[in-house]
Each structure stands twice: as C-alpha cells, then as structure tokens.
Amino acid sequence: MIKSRAVSSIAIGLALLFLLAACGDGAAPVASNGNESPATAPAPPPTSAASPSDSGDAPAEPVSYEVWFHQGEYLFPTYRTEATGPAVGRAAVEALFAGPSDEEAQADVQSQVPSGTRLLGLDIEGGVATVDVSREFESGGGSLSVRMRVAQLLHTLTQFPSVDRVVLWIEGEHKDAISGEGIPTDEPLHPKDFADLFPAITVSGPRIGDVVDNPVTITGTANVFEATVSIRIRDEAGEVIAETFTTASCGTGCRGDYEAVVRYQVAGSQEGVIEVFESSAEDGSVTKLVRIPVTLSAQ
C-alpha cells in the first residue's frame, strides 16, 4: 500500500513538471481576452533601447529616418541618414534628444525637449512603443511646451510601421500625467491626440541645407484650401526669383501629396530659400508658411 502511494506521488509530480514545461520558458502564463492595453495594465518599464527592427546581429546599413522638431507653432519633420544597424528606433529618439543641427536651428527649427533628456529604454510590441525617459523630459515650460515635446516624441516614433501608439514612462514610473501642467499620459498616446500641432504643409524634399538642382523638384503633403499649394524661391538677397503653385492630391479637410518642378534663374551658386505656403482665400496673404534654406545652382 505504501509502495503504491509512493508511485502515485511520483507520477503526479512528473505530470506537474510536464505541465509547467509546456507553459514556455518558466514565465507564468497570463490570461488574455485580447483587449488588454498599456492603458489598463501597463507593461513593466523597458530596460533597454530596442528598436522597431531589433533582431539578430545584422550589419549596419545606411538608414534614413525622420526626427520631428517644430518651426513656429507647428511640428516640423527633419531627416537623418546614418549607419544605425537594426536599432533605428533608438537612433531616431536619441537624435530627437540631441536637438536640431546648426543648419536647422538657423532655419528657426527648434525643440521643446529639455537639454539633458536621456533615453532609458524602448520596447515595441503589438503596435505600442513603451519608452522610458529621464526626468528632465518633464521639466520646465508651460503646457504648450510640454504638449509640443510629447508630440515630437510621438511623431518620431510613429513614423515606423511597427508603432501606432506610445506609452510614456518617466524613470521607470508610468504616470497618469506628466509635468506640473498635468499633460495626460494614462492612455497610450496617438498622433490624433496632437492634431492641432501638425502642420498643414510639410516638405519632404528638398531638405534643409541641400544643394538643389535647377529645376528643383519640391515634394511634400498638404491639407489646404482647394488643395492649392503655393511655392516661391528667394535668392541670397531675399528677392523672389521664381513663383508658382501646384495642386495636392487632396485638400480642404484631407491631406494629399504634392509635387512641383520649378525652374529659377541665378547668376551663380548661392544660398536661397524655398517657401511653400497657402495663399489666403480672403486676401491672398501668406499663411501656413514652411521655409527650407538651400543652396541654389546656376545650371
């Protein structure tokens, strides 16, 4: 009888071990109804700065990505190209925290991310980027400054197809709101939460500091009245040397792509500015102006 009970105990123990092994790598299984989100059950703070494509040890290759600052009252995309390897998400956020380049700063491109802000961790799963930043991120500035810096971080991360929303942590702590201004961060953040800061016109090319061809091809997106995008080029003296307009693929309530090929006349290679804007339907005045300083070519 004793021997029979011992055999039964061993069999039960082996069965339990088999069931535990079937659960995976030792982590406790979590019941799921498919609706959980960081808003209701925040994941632990990220412990490393992973990227949207972190996997394996692929060699570094040149990668282009956006870094979002602001020009005036609206967000402004800038671009970086470097050999980042797979950690392009980390590279983009660290470029954001480093601030605009000298050329960008001269073009009135600014950042509301406080100096000294550090990236402590970045995990991406299920379309949600959980980013952990140092406490400097929420220091200083009023509500507009804090909203702008959050929007900069959000748009820098959601450029990647693997990221739809962002959960923000401050030094390992998930807060319902950040800074003394109480900007809500209890829910995963989405670009639509900051739609009022998104520019009516963006310019994807040329970029600040480019040496441009003649004619120059100007591209971007716009949400403007009757989809009409106005363009002009100024020479180094500030004189208008070319002026035209084009039509975006959508407008007046929707965003569309635009492209224009513009020829200009200059005596020699020199600094200039490409201006893309909307002409007011009321009085023709310039609104929603985007300025791109470039080097013009005489050819």
Side-chain angles (χ1 to χ4, degrees), residues 137 185 223 238:
F137 185 82
T185 55
N223 179 1

Side-chain angles (χ1 to χ4, degrees), residues 12 37 45 47 49 55 61 116-117 119 121 141 200 203 265 277 291 299:
I12 292 171
S37 75
T47 56
S55 61
E61 294 182 0
T117 299
L119 175 61
V203 179
Q265 295 290 331
F277 57 96
R291 301 178 70 255
Q299 63 187 29

Side-chain angles (χ1 to χ4, degrees), residues 9-186:
S9 297
I10 292 171
I12 292 171
L14 289 173
L16 288 172
L17 287 173
F18 177 79
L19 288 172
L20 287 172
C23 289
D25 60 2
V30 179
S32 172
N33 60 10
N35 295 320
E36 290 86 358
S37 75
T40 56
T47 56
S48 64
S51 81
S53 56
D54 257 344
S55 61
D57 298 316
E61 294 182 0
V63 176
S64 293
Y65 55 86
E66 301 169 359
V67 182
W68 285 77
F69 299 115
H70 72 96
Q71 192 179 65
E73 300 177 355
Y74 299 100
L75 290 161
F76 184 92
T78 66
Y79 304 88
R80 302 287 187 269
T81 299
E82 56 183 305
T84 66
V88 63
R90 175 176 182 172
V93 174
E94 290 183 339
L96 168 65
F97 292 172
S101 67
D102 290 342
E103 284 183 322
E104 291 162 353
Q106 292 172 7
D108 297 324
V109 175
Q110 302 174 355
S111 177
Q112 291 302 315
V113 177
S115 177
T117 299
R118 293 171 293 117
L119 175 61
L120 304 179
L122 174 61
D123 288 336
I124 297 171
E125 184 176 358
V128 177
T130 302
V131 57
D132 190 15
V133 300
S134 63
R135 197 161 302 282
E136 288 87 352
F137 185 82
E138 62 174 344
S139 64
S143 60
L144 291 177
S145 172
V146 177
R147 288 193 75 241
M148 183 64 80
R149 74 188 65 162
V150 172
Q152 289 178 231
L153 177 61
L154 177 62
H155 280 277
T156 296
L157 282 168
T158 56
Q159 70 179 289
F160 301 110
S162 58
V163 181
D164 297 318
R165 297 167 295 156
V166 173
V167 173
L168 183 62
W169 293 70
I170 305 293
E171 296 200 357
E173 182 180 358
H174 182 242
K175 297 183 175 182
D176 289 339
I178 65 167
S179 87
E181 301 300 324
I183 305 300
T185 55
D186 55 330

Side-chain angles (χ1 to χ4, degrees), residues 5 41 53 147 228 283 288 296:
R5 288 178 180 173
S53 56
R147 288 193 75 241
T228 303
D283 57 12
K288 304 169 184 174
L296 304 172

